[in-house]
Amino acid sequence: MILIGENLQILSKVVSAALKERDEKPLQELAIKQANAGADYIDLNVGPARKDPDVMKWLAGVIQEAVNKPLSLDTTNPIAMEAGLSVCKIPPLINSASGKQESKEKMLPLAAKYNCDVVVSVLIDAGIPTDSSTRAEAIMETVAYANEIGIPNERIWVDPIMMPISVDQPQVVELFEFMKILQDICPGAKSTLGLSNLSNGAPEHLRGILNRICLVMLERYNCFSAIVDSFDTELVSLMRGGLQDVKDLIYRAMDEELNISGLPKKEADIVKTVNVLMGRNLYSHSWLES
Amino acid sequence: MQSTDFFEPYKGDVKEVAIGSEGKTVKIGGEKTLPFHGFEGAEGGPVKFALEVFDAPPEGWPEHLRSSYADVLGNPVAWADKCVKQFGADIISLYLASLDNDNFDAAKIAENVKKIADQVSVPLVVMGIGDKDKDAKAFVEIAKVCKGKNLLLGPLVKENYEEIAKAALEGGHGIIPQSPLDINLCKELNVKLTKFFPKEKMAIDPLSAAIGYGIDYSFSIMERVKQVAVIHNDEMMKMPMVANIGKDCWKTKEAKEDKTQGILWEAITAFTLILSGANLVILRHPESLKLVKKLIS
């Protein structure tokens, strides 16, 4: 599993202040910490950067001085994106393009021009698709367009768009279904998604267990990569061959409904979480208590 | 071979909840199937209807609503009596309009509730005004003064459920937890309540809205609550459902401007939410009650 570290992002106060001040030190430190924690890519999320499109160029420059990892340039602004692309020494990842007309016209061509990988989400002008088959329909069209302008499937990282489970639980199940069929509809394509959005709105101390278990499930459905919290050590460990007993239990709980009576709390919590993610039990913020 | 050979019984059910003290108990819920799917499983008791009575004379009612109760508006016992004997209400839903007054006297309100509960021949639902603090203050007192009368108190929301539920438990009453049109939050409140409150004494209100004012959301959520209970056997969602619609219907301009339109507004809102699984429907106009009863019988 390729892990893209999400921690360098504009919503963080430290990051947003450092970007504004062009203060490279805290940003470089954050990148180094993520690389040391096990991130394969460092995501540089500068937001839409409407007033300050040069920020991506500056940021990509200072981060690649600090870490020898490929970057994931994360902005919806094609001008900022191209500015960033122009300075990257290691081919970066464009994060992201979509099936929206504007993105097809302005963002996707950058992947062809700079010969790099690109995240393509299932988003289209009509919005985020609401089930696995409309996701498939949307992505097939966008991918066909990308192919036409010279981007092969192998350079496309499909993003099925993770929704918060507390907002729309059935969408999580639909996303799994989509991941199962992705290789049939886009052979050779890679995949990635913003994992933490799953637990957005869930109680803070329970976000980790949701994220971790979901990622193990996604890995089993051949998800290629995810944008994650680099500092969740348990999560990184699970993706690097550790905690095999936890993984085994998750797989068993996916394959059959396990009886939780008599299980130690830690294991029961894992099974309950799998049941909620699989849509077997209705989600509530207190899913571990019922 | 019979058609029933093809049916698999549902795993889940809806709990039966009894309201009212001995001798005048009414039960709601108890079904082992989806609404009107009697061919798939036991239907439980029929939907029950409550008419609203105010503990202080209502304000802002249109004449075509007011006229049905003109002779009893200042006398809750007589009003309730009329609803039962003349209009056929199974239950009385007493609305604590007196809480609108900032200087309300909780003890006095509670004594009044007791008097009404004693004199009326059917069980009582007691509804607060939706102000979390005022409701809690009144319900704590009511629960104590009316001990043993098995009232159904509501709404309980996430900000005041603990206080009210504890008082209800001590006084031997049932409760109506209410969630803001969100099935996950509905379950959340149930999970928290059932840690100390028996689910056999709960009827839930996923929040009902009137036609034209969001009934589609109410319908979808109530429908799903019922499915999660009956089909998926979710222990935390097996409470019967309450649709408290009089209040929402009669504040619409459509209901206020014309009698026929108002009655239809309320009756069809009620009918729609009964289809989605409501077990207890609280109405305001006697003629809409009559119309809905006719429609489902």
Side-chain angles (χ1 to χ4, degrees):
Chain A
M1 171 76 70
I2 297 293
L3 300 178
I4 304 173
E6 73 181 2
N7 305 72
L8 207 162
Q9 47 115 342
I10 189 89
L11 290 177
S12 139
K13 274 186 193 143
V14 179
V15 172
S16 114
L19 287 177
K20 215 170 163 191
E21 304 293 321
R22 294 290 196 263
D23 179 8
E24 59 208 54
K25 194 119 187 278
L27 301 169
Q28 287 178 328
E29 272 169 15
L30 193 52
I32 293 167
K33 264 171 75 184
Q34 291 192 72
N36 291 342
D40 299 299
Y41 280 70
I42 309 295
D43 192 66
L44 307 183
N45 180 347
V46 300
R50 262 184 232 104
K51 285 182 196 152
D52 185 13
D54 287 337
V55 68
M56 186 64 101
K57 187 175 181 175
W58 174 80
L59 182 61
V62 299
I63 298 303
Q64 64 185 357
E65 270 172 34
V67 292
N68 189 28
K69 293 279 179 196
L71 305 177
S72 153
L73 306 185
D74 190 346
T75 178
T76 47
N77 180 343
I79 297 168
M81 183 64 78
E82 181 149 23
L85 287 167
S86 67
V87 297
C88 285
K89 291 176 193 148
I90 308 174
L93 179 63
I94 293 180
N95 185 14
S96 63
S98 73
K100 289 181 88 156
Q101 196 54 38
E102 200 191 338
S103 184
K104 277 161 124 181
E105 284 167 12
K106 293 183 178 155
M107 195 62 95
L108 265 182
L110 294 178
K113 184 171 169 189
Y114 288 86
N115 204 22
C116 60
D117 284 17
V118 57
V119 176
V120 178
S121 81
V122 295
L123 178 69
I124 51 175
D125 282 319
I128 300 174
T130 52
D131 60 24
S132 60
S133 52
T134 46
R135 274 187 170 82
E137 202 181 312
I139 202 66
M140 283 166 81
E141 203 190 306
T142 314
V143 165
Y145 179 84
N147 293 160
E148 268 175 43
I149 62 169
I151 308 165
N153 282 5
E154 286 69 20
R155 292 224 317 267
I156 295 172
W157 300 33
V158 172
D159 178 359
I161 304 185
M162 179 63 89
M163 297 296 283
I165 190 167
S166 63
V167 173
D168 201 349
Q169 184 184 9
Q171 283 297 315
V172 178
V173 180
E174 291 297 331
L175 187 142
F176 290 146
E177 291 304 311
F178 175 78
M179 291 309 297
K180 288 187 208 165
I181 59 169
L182 180 59
Q183 286 308 314
D184 296 328
I185 56 173
C186 300
K190 301 182 168 77
S191 50
T192 194
L193 44 76
L195 182 68
S196 304
N197 202 31
L198 168 74
S199 58
N200 215 338
E204 204 55 38
H205 67 290
L206 297 176
R207 292 190 64 175
I209 187 171
L210 270 178
N211 295 346
R212 291 190 286 274
I213 293 178
C214 187
L215 192 58
V216 171
M217 295 170 72
L218 284 163
E219 187 190 35
R220 200 183 188 196
Y221 296 136
N222 297 317
C223 188
F224 176 77
S225 141
I227 306 169
V228 300
D229 175 5
S230 306
F231 304 133
D232 184 338
T233 47
E234 214 175 303
L235 178 140
V236 176
S237 172
L238 277 165
M239 291 301 113
R240 299 294 185 244
L243 304 170
Q244 193 56 46
D245 51 332
V246 171
K247 233 177 193 175
D248 288 343
L249 179 59
I250 295 172
Y251 284 8
R252 273 199 294 135
M254 287 167 78
D255 293 337
E256 55 175 324
E257 281 197 57
L258 299 177
N259 186 355
I260 53 167
S261 61
L263 282 185
K265 174 157 173 36
K266 208 177 160 205
E267 292 179 23
D269 284 355
I270 291 172
V271 175
K272 285 176 184 174
T273 306
V274 171
N275 284 339
V276 163
L277 287 163
M278 301 277 289
R280 289 175 189 148
N281 277 343
L282 181 66
Y283 174 85
S284 80
H285 293 324
S286 41
W287 83 95
L288 296 179
E289 296 166 38
S290 61
Chain B
M1 183 170 281
Q2 291 181 322
S3 66
T4 48
D5 293 345
F6 298 101
F7 295 134
E8 251 183 70
Y10 290 120
K11 287 184 284 183
D13 58 356
V14 173
K15 298 287 170 218
E16 193 171 69
V17 174
I19 315 164
S21 50
E22 240 183 273
K24 51 179 178 187
T25 312
V26 169
K27 289 175 177 171
I28 58 171
E31 66 265 37
K32 294 176 169 36
T33 187
L34 298 173
F36 299 97
H37 280 228
F39 52 92
E40 286 188 303
E43 279 193 287
V47 177
K48 295 297 189 298
F49 294 94
L51 280 174
E52 280 186 275
V53 168
F54 280 42
D55 76 336
E59 284 166 21
W61 281 18
E63 192 47 37
H64 52 268
L65 172 62
R66 202 185 158 81
S67 59
S68 303
Y69 305 109
D71 52 332
V72 291
L73 283 174
N75 181 346
V77 173
W79 184 348
D81 211 43
K82 188 172 186 184
C83 288
V84 176
K85 295 198 177 123
Q86 200 173 325
F87 303 137
D90 304 307
I91 293 169
I92 292 301
S93 180
L94 181 68
Y95 181 73
L96 301 176
S98 51
L99 288 180
D100 279 328
N101 185 335
D102 280 338
N103 303 315
F104 68 90
D105 178 346
K108 219 168 132 189
I109 291 177
E111 280 305 329
N112 194 35
V113 173
K114 182 169 183 285
K115 189 180 90 186
I116 298 165
D118 282 338
Q119 297 191 22
V120 172
S121 60
V122 298
L124 223 56
V125 172
V126 184
M127 289 302 245
I129 57 172
D131 177 310
K132 58 183 172 18
D133 299 324
K134 286 180 170 181
D135 286 358
K137 205 169 164 192
F139 280 136
V140 167
E141 198 62 28
I142 292 168
K144 202 161 47 181
V145 172
C146 300
K147 192 168 180 147
K149 303 215 173 291
N150 195 17
L151 310 172
L152 190 60
L153 312 176
L156 279 70
V157 292
K158 76 172 195 299
E159 292 85 2
N160 67 13
Y161 74 92
E162 268 183 294
E163 201 180 352
I164 302 178
K166 272 178 194 152
L169 192 62
E170 274 171 32
H173 306 290
I175 53 170
I176 306 176
Q178 184 190 70
S179 43
L181 279 175
D182 181 315
I183 193 168
N184 305 110
L185 294 180
C186 174
K187 182 167 177 177
E188 172 84 2
L189 192 51
N190 294 348
V191 169
K192 287 184 167 154
L193 275 164
T194 48
K195 283 183 182 169
F196 65 93
F197 201 90
K199 47 176 177 277
E200 294 74 18
K201 288 187 84 78
M202 287 165 61
I204 57 178
D205 176 5
L207 205 64
S208 28
I211 288 176
Y213 295 83
I215 196 173
D216 30 354
Y217 294 97
S218 296
F219 187 95
S220 311
I221 286 169
M222 291 173 75
E223 184 185 39
R224 246 184 103 204
V225 168
K226 197 66 89 180
Q227 289 171 349
V228 166
V230 172
I231 302 176
H232 299 287
N233 197 24
D234 189 326
E235 288 299 329
M236 291 298 142
M237 302 298 277
K238 293 188 173 179
M239 302 79 180
M241 283 189 288
V242 178
N244 181 16
I245 64 172
K247 192 178 176 183
D248 284 312
C249 286
W250 289 99
K251 71 179 178 207
T252 68
K253 70 172 186 329
E254 292 84 352
K256 279 181 175 169
E257 73 191 9
D258 179 82
K259 183 179 180 186
T260 310
Q261 194 165 283
I263 289 165
L264 283 173
W265 216 265
E266 188 175 35
I268 295 179
T269 298
F271 180 60
T272 307
L273 295 180
I274 290 169
L275 285 176
S276 76
N279 300 89
L280 167 60
V281 181
I282 301 174
L283 298 167
R284 200 165 271 185
H285 202 294
E287 287 183 47
S288 33
L289 170 66
K290 202 168 143 193
L291 188 57
V292 189
K293 273 194 169 173
K294 201 169 153 190
L295 207 51
I296 62 169
S297 63

